[in-house]
Amino acid sequence: MLMPEFWEKYFKTYDVLNEVVPYQQLIDRIIQEARITDGMTVLDAGVGTGNVPIQMKKAYTHIRIIGIDTAQEGLDRWKTKDAHAESFVHNIQNILPFERNFFDVVVSNNALYTISRDKRTQVVKEFYRVIKPGGTIVIANLKKGFSPFAIYTAHVKTELREKGFIQTTAKIIRMLPETLKMFYYNALIQKEHAFGKFDFFEKGEQRQLLHTAGFQTGDEISVYAHQGLLVVGTK
Ligand SMILES: C[S@@+](CC[C@H](N)C(=O)[O-])C[C@H]1O[C@@H](n2cnc3c(N)ncnc32)[C@H](O)[C@@H]1O
């Protein structure tokens, strides 16, 4: 299956993730680490169905967010959720159509793992070029050996704690068809990895990537029920 075709199919069920607690927490953490203030301009690279910008705009109303992605289907879905969504189809392996120092913040969630290792430095150097001096980058990606089951288990545990047995069980049953599809697509993601298409991140690798591109970074942060890693860089 070709990559854009894969994502187009996955997007039919992708937004069920918005119901999953570790995914909600991941998005909240990305937004928190992005250190946004009103008036800022933000790029979401590999924006998908717009889940990060939608939450970002809830927290900060006076910001501009531009989302880019290779899959038109994802951008179309974002548009149905936010009529003012600003987006266009673009492959982040190509030169970004923005002047240097254009953005205050760049975020990219679970997109870089889909790009082969040898191309990632060039992609992140482009992010560096378009970020203003003093600006922030936040990248998060699944780590090597990640388990979708661990993400789901963490979700169920939190729901049980917060909502109790009856409500949680009812929700599990209601969401079962979409959840099964989600597991199916995640199995495909891992299978694609087996064929060498997706290359998930080793510990420390994202930090090194940002360093090589010129950013100063903090420590890597464990996210997504410990199945992903997040790193923040400053230009
Ligand atoms: C797992 S989804 C993540 C979507 C979104 N960032 C989120 O947090 O839910 C990965 C996204 O990366 C996009 N993508 C993959 N390779 C890309 C590339 N070379 N350029 C732009 N987007 C890409 C896919 O189309 C897909 O929308």
Side-chain angles (χ1 to χ4, degrees), residues 112-121 124 139-145 193 198-213 217-221 229-232:
L112 281 174
Y113 74 72
T114 70
I115 289 171
S116 66
R117 263 202 175 75
D118 56 322
K119 306 226 171 79
R120 287 176 191 166
T121 305
V124 178
I139 58 170
N141 280 282
L142 288 165
K143 63 180 186 187
K144 202 159 253 172
H193 177 218
F198 294 156
D199 227 340
F200 302 106
F201 280 84
E202 306 272 5
K203 202 166 185 302
E205 208 184 330
Q206 295 186 98
R207 194 164 178 249
Q208 187 54 49
L209 191 59
L210 292 195
H211 265 294
T212 308
T217 65
D219 290 338
E220 273 186 339
I221 300 164
L229 292 161
L230 176 151
V231 67
V232 183

Side-chain angles (χ1 to χ4, degrees), residues 3-4 6-8 10-11 14-15 17-18 23 26-27 30 44-53 68-72 74-75 89-94 107-115 123 142 189 198:
M3 277 257 256
F6 169 78
W7 291 112
E8 276 162 32
Y10 188 9
F11 284 146
Y14 189 83
D15 276 353
L17 267 180
N18 287 315
Y23 181 74
L26 168 63
I27 290 185
I30 290 169
D44 187 331
V47 65
T49 59
N51 293 335
V52 175
I68 54 176
D69 202 289
T70 38
Q72 180 69 54
L75 303 181
V89 170
H90 183 79
N91 185 337
I92 55 173
Q93 293 183 50
N94 298 330
V107 294
S108 182
N109 182 36
N110 280 329
L112 281 174
Y113 74 72
T114 70
I115 289 171
V123 170
L142 288 165
I189 285 179
F198 294 156

Side-chain angles (χ1 to χ4, degrees), residues 66-86:
I66 301 172
I68 54 176
D69 202 289
T70 38
Q72 180 69 54
E73 173 81 6
L75 303 181
D76 290 346
R77 278 179 193 268
W78 180 17
K79 200 84 181 173
T80 64
K81 297 184 282 182
D82 176 4
H84 302 293
E86 201 176 336

Side-chain angles (χ1 to χ4, degrees), residues 36 40-44 56 63-66 103 105-107:
I36 288 171
M40 282 189 167
T41 304
V42 180
L43 173 70
D44 187 331
M56 216 176 240
I63 55 171
R64 180 181 182 194
I65 311 175
I66 301 172
F103 291 99
V105 173
V106 171
V107 294

Side-chain angles (χ1 to χ4, degrees), residues 81-193:
K81 297 184 282 182
D82 176 4
H84 302 293
E86 201 176 336
S87 69
F88 60 93
V89 170
H90 183 79
N91 185 337
I92 55 173
Q93 293 183 50
N94 298 330
I95 302 283
L96 296 170
F98 301 103
E99 287 169 16
R100 59 193 283 270
N101 305 341
F102 188 83
F103 291 99
D104 298 283
V105 173
V106 171
V107 294
S108 182
N109 182 36
N110 280 329
L112 281 174
Y113 74 72
T114 70
I115 289 171
S116 66
R117 263 202 175 75
D118 56 322
K119 306 226 171 79
R120 287 176 191 166
T121 305
Q122 200 41 51
V123 170
V124 178
K125 278 187 177 165
E126 259 304 274
F127 294 158
Y128 187 88
R129 183 184 66 80
V130 298
I131 292 179
K132 291 176 186 168
T136 305
I137 184 166
V138 183
I139 58 170
N141 280 282
L142 288 165
K143 63 180 186 187
K144 202 159 253 172
F146 83 95
S147 155
F149 190 67
I151 296 170
Y152 191 66
T153 310
H155 162 74
V156 173
K157 276 187 186 158
T158 313
E159 293 267 277
L160 277 172
R161 206 172 45 242
E162 289 176 1
K163 299 191 174 142
F165 182 76
I166 293 173
Q167 236 182 298
T168 304
T169 311
K171 194 169 168 190
I172 287 173
I173 294 168
R174 180 167 51 81
M175 287 176 59
L176 195 60
E178 292 304 305
T179 308
L180 289 175
K181 279 188 212 158
M182 184 57 97
F183 275 112
Y184 165 71
Y185 281 109
N186 271 284
L188 270 189
I189 285 179
Q190 281 170 327
K191 188 162 149 259
E192 297 282 313
H193 177 218

Side-chain angles (χ1 to χ4, degrees), residues 12-45:
K12 292 197 169 75
T13 167
Y14 189 83
D15 276 353
V16 71
L17 267 180
N18 287 315
E19 306 275 341
V20 175
V21 176
Y23 181 74
Q24 295 166 354
Q25 291 169 336
L26 168 63
I27 290 185
D28 287 350
R29 189 70 193 252
I30 290 169
I31 294 169
Q32 178 197 330
E33 296 293 341
R35 301 184 288 241
I36 288 171
T37 53
D38 277 347
M40 282 189 167
T41 304
V42 180
L43 173 70
D44 187 331

